[in-house]
Amino acid sequence: MQTTSWVPLFPEQASTFAWQVDALYFYLIAVSVAFTIPIVVAIFFFAVKYRETDKFATPDEMHGSMVLETVWSIIPFVISMTIFVGGAIVFFNQYTPPDDAMEVYVVGKQWMWKIQHQTGQREINELHVPVGRKVKLTMTTEDVIHNFDIPAFRTKVDAVPGRYTYLWFEATKPGKYHLFCAEYCGLNHSGMGGYIYVMEQRDFDNWLSGNVSGQTPVEAGRDLFENKLGCASCHAGGPAQRGAKLEGIFNHDVKLVGGATVKADEQYIRNSILNPSAQVVEGFQPIMPTFKGQVTEEQLNSLVAYIKSLTPNAGTAAAPATNTAAGAAPATNSAAKPAGNSNK
Ligand code: HEC
Ligand SMILES: [Cu+2]
């Protein structure tokens, strides 16, 4: 299925920004060659032209040239600005995941990539995606830094312990493309790879329905929240609510004790679960226990997905809202069902 690229030795171009990366790369090479050749030629030319012929020659005095100075300042300036602007555009495009993307979770560990779709399907070292659809990966790792690298898409992003990073792409043609770990991560680093399968939408739908989906991240998150971890014992709405309101917070501003305001993004929710006393919501006591060491990265992803799902239209930019004790709204979601205090 794999076809070759128009440049020998280059991987195929299979994403919307692959050609941009290549264009920038060839432009850099062209600029380097355009400067290197005249400089090397000039070195030899002058070496020969001004070789020692007369032992006692006195050189002519040099006078500056304003025109020359101006020209060789302006030309490199223009060239370096085109490199800067071109690079900035490509970079911005690649590292700003769109809101309307299909989301996938990726957890790296020595030495494999564990992947889960929003619809629940899990994969290891393989990722199936539809062609022509924007796909956003939310990535983290259980151990050391890894790097999710898809050469045919001309994109790669580090997966960093303790934090979420994002990679997005839109594949432009069906096929099977290499996936690598591009950050040396230990003994079997070289084996930490696999394939991205880009499929026509209907093949992808078939693939999805042909794979056991189990719980979706949101369902798994709700299960953890209401039953296994007992979050609901504090966070369920109603008069007995002891924890901060979680409905509608995603991507909104949250006021903290001490006056600061933070945006409740995925990283914030993650930190609130692992290290609750670091950022305490205004109007609350720091009574939430830490869940560090009690939840796996996958479970954290699920909890974050669940809390995200409590905000309608999560993912799209939303207006700021405050979140204080006074705003403890009437119970509106299923988490209102008290679940025995199962967190020990
Ligand atoms: C003992 C009661 C208690 C339990 C159990 C508890 N929390 Fe909390 N939680 C709180 C309180 C109180 C706050 C507000 C103070 C703070 O930020 O630490 C809070 C804050 C949060 C926040 C930040 C909310 C915001 O509006 O910014 C999140 C997210 C959160 N909890 C998630 C969870 C999850 C997920 C669990 C289960 C794994 C959980 N909590 C278990 C009491 C609890
Ligand atoms: Cu790795």
Side-chain angles (χ1 to χ4, degrees):
M1 232 199 276
Q2 194 140 15
T3 55
T4 47
S5 139
W6 54 280
V7 187
L9 301 180
F10 262 57
E12 196 176 350
Q13 292 180 342
S15 73
T16 46
F17 40 59
W19 70 269
Q20 301 172 352
V21 175
D22 286 2
L24 195 65
Y25 182 70
F26 287 119
Y27 179 59
L28 283 172
I29 290 189
V31 169
S32 313
V33 169
F35 277 89
T36 307
I37 289 175
I39 289 170
V40 171
V41 170
I43 288 172
F44 283 100
F45 176 76
F46 289 130
V48 173
K49 178 162 184 216
Y50 296 111
R51 69 188 183 280
E52 190 182 65
T53 47
D54 177 356
K55 268 251 173 281
F56 304 101
T58 36
D60 293 338
E61 218 173 291
M62 287 283 291
H63 296 280
S65 160
M66 202 53 195
V67 177
L68 203 60
E69 294 285 349
T70 314
V71 167
W72 73 33
S73 298
I74 287 179
I75 292 178
F77 174 75
V78 170
I79 292 174
S80 46
M81 286 317 281
T82 55
I83 294 172
F84 167 70
V85 172
I89 291 171
V90 175
F91 180 87
F92 187 78
N93 187 4
Q94 272 205 13
Y95 292 98
T96 315
D99 284 336
D100 55 343
M102 172 185 134
E103 286 190 63
V104 175
Y105 289 105
V106 176
V107 177
K109 70 172 262 196
Q110 286 164 326
W111 287 277
M112 64 172 84
W113 294 107
K114 297 189 287 184
I115 291 169
Q116 190 178 18
H117 292 259
Q118 284 301 334
T119 39
Q121 288 81 358
R122 292 178 184 278
E123 309 188 58
I124 287 182
N125 292 338
E126 286 189 352
L127 170 59
H128 289 74
V129 292
V131 68
R133 214 28 214 284
K134 296 181 182 116
V135 180
K136 171 182 164 190
L137 310 187
T138 300
M139 309 195 299
T140 188
T141 138
E142 282 176 17
D143 36 50
V144 300
I145 300 179
H146 301 279
N147 184 298
F148 200 89
D149 176 19
I150 315 157
F153 296 172
R154 304 294 190 277
T155 188
K156 62 195 306 201
V157 170
D158 271 358
V160 183
R163 131 152 184 213
Y164 291 123
T165 55
Y166 304 93
L167 177 152
W168 83 274
F169 58 80
E170 180 182 334
T172 49
K173 44 184 152 168
K176 179 183 173 189
Y177 306 104
H178 273 294
L179 161 67
F180 294 110
C181 176
E183 185 68 60
Y184 181 68
C185 59
L187 201 59
N188 291 333
H189 161 70
S190 61
M192 187 172 165
Y195 289 98
I196 312 287
Y197 294 89
V198 177
M199 312 163 100
E200 295 292 353
Q201 184 70 49
R202 61 173 191 286
D203 298 337
F204 179 71
D205 293 339
N206 283 341
W207 179 84
L208 275 187
S209 55
N211 276 270
V212 198
S213 58
Q215 281 180 316
T216 66
V218 172
E219 287 162 0
R222 175 182 296 128
D223 193 21
L224 289 165
F225 191 90
E226 293 179 354
N227 308 313
K228 300 206 180 91
L229 297 172
C231 317
S233 66
C234 292
H235 283 287
Q241 186 174 43
R242 291 189 290 156
K245 188 165 82 104
L246 302 178
E247 296 80 22
I249 63 164
F250 185 71
N251 258 341
H252 289 66
D253 287 341
V254 172
K255 283 218 185 80
L256 301 179
V257 169
T261 300
V262 289
K263 193 169 107 180
D265 57 8
E266 285 151 342
Q267 188 70 44
Y268 168 80
I269 293 172
R270 179 196 169 92
N271 293 346
S272 295
I273 299 168
L274 294 183
N275 196 2
S277 51
Q279 291 173 306
V280 177
V281 181
E282 191 185 73
F284 289 91
Q285 295 298 313
I287 54 162
M288 175 166 158
T290 169
F291 288 85
K292 198 180 233 145
Q294 300 177 42
V295 285
T296 63
E297 287 298 338
E298 272 102 341
Q299 290 176 324
L300 267 174
N301 282 342
S302 301
L303 283 169
V304 172
Y306 171 64
I307 292 172
K308 252 172 100 168
S309 76
L310 300 177
T311 303
N313 306 322
T316 48
T322 49
N323 178 22
T324 59
T332 46
N333 83 85
S334 55
K337 167 172 63 78
N341 199 350
S342 60
N343 59 300
K344 308 197 171 77

